[in-house]
């Protein structure tokens, strides 16, 4: 199944709306993780420090610990990021080898995006939404509606953040 289930959509739609509102007010988005539990109705935000690989590792550990404490059903990560223009994507590895990161490659090769990742017990949904100017303002920006893609096998420091719930094994990667 590739469509984001309604339960999760309802939980994250206000968070996406708030991110859009901040961009439209001329603000930058602070990298955030939102850890949620459907039974209690709690969704706890936590800012993510992302300056270095060590900071990112520490942030991921903190989110994982919060998810365990909350007995979380989902973790939603939202941040500004860079993505390559479509005509440069095939050169991704080459660009990383040459420049070390997308932030250091020529600005004309990359686009600003809001990166969205939703980890659930049924896999991970990911979207990248291009950031574009809002009207004629140089400071105000906006984003369109995200189109999430479902992935059952993902890797990285911001994956496998959910605790295993009592009576269930590891996340199955499939929806019932």
């Amino acid at each position: 199944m590739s469509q984001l289930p309604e339960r999760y959509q309802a939980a994250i739609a206000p968070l996406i709306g708030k991110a859009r509102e901040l961009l439209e007010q001329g603000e930058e988005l602070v990298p955030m993780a939102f850890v949620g539990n459907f039974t209690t109705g709690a969704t706890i935000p936590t800012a993510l420090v992302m300056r270095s690989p060590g900071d990112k590792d520490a942030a991921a550990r903190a989110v994982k610990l919060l998810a365990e404490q909350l007995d979380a059903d989902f973790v939603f990560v939202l941040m500004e990021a860079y993505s390559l223009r479509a005509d440069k994507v095939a050169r991704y590895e080459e660009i990383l080898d040459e420049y070390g990161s997308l932030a250091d490659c020529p600005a004309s090769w990359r686009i600003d995006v809001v990166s969205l990742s939703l980890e659930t017990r049924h896999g991970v949904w990911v979207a990248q939404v291009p950031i574009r100017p809002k009207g004629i303002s140089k400071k105000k920006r906006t984003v369109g509606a995200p189109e999430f893609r479902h992935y059952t096998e993902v890797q990285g420091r911001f994956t496998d953040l959910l605790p295993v719930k009592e009576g269930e094994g590891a996340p199955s990667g499939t929806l019932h």
Side-chain angles (χ1 to χ4, degrees):
M1 172 181 275
S2 62
Q3 186 169 346
L4 187 62
E6 180 57 38
R7 181 180 211 186
Y8 296 104
Q9 180 65 35
I12 67 170
L15 304 172
I16 296 167
K18 183 62 176 177
R20 181 178 295 109
E21 180 183 313
L22 289 169
L23 288 170
E24 290 177 352
Q25 292 172 355
E27 302 290 329
E28 289 191 19
L29 297 181
V30 173
M32 298 289 293
F34 299 88
V35 181
N37 178 301
F38 288 126
T39 303
T40 65
T43 298
I44 309 296
T46 186
L48 304 173
V49 176
M50 308 287 273
R51 292 182 298 259
S52 71
D55 288 342
K56 293 174 186 178
D57 290 340
R61 284 191 304 272
V63 171
K64 187 174 180 78
L65 179 61
L66 180 58
E68 289 173 9
Q69 292 171 343
L70 196 60
D71 196 23
D73 295 303
F74 68 89
V75 175
F76 180 58
V77 178
L78 179 149
M79 68 183 73
E80 286 191 51
Y82 291 123
S83 185
L84 287 173
R85 289 188 344 224
D87 64 322
K88 300 291 182 191
V89 170
R91 295 186 51 208
Y92 175 74
E93 294 293 334
E94 177 187 335
I95 290 168
L96 285 185
D97 288 344
E98 183 174 345
Y99 296 99
S101 73
L102 296 185
D104 294 329
C105 79
S108 64
W109 293 6
R110 64 179 190 248
I111 57 173
D112 293 330
V113 298
V114 173
S115 175
L116 309 163
S117 173
L118 176 67
E119 180 178 337
T120 74
R121 302 198 176 286
H122 312 290
V124 176
W125 278 264
V126 177
Q128 285 191 340
V129 186
I131 299 173
R132 60 184 192 276
K134 179 161 175 67
I136 59 172
S137 173
K138 295 204 186 280
K139 200 168 180 168
K140 295 179 181 181
R141 306 170 298 158
T142 193
V143 292
E147 292 183 26
F148 284 91
R149 290 181 141 188
H150 183 237
Y151 297 90
T152 56
E153 296 181 26
V154 294
Q155 296 179 341
R157 68 173 47 93
F158 285 98
T159 59
D160 296 323
L161 299 172
L162 291 175
V164 174
K165 293 240 182 187
E166 189 174 317
E168 79 178 23
S172 68
T174 59
L175 288 173
H176 309 304

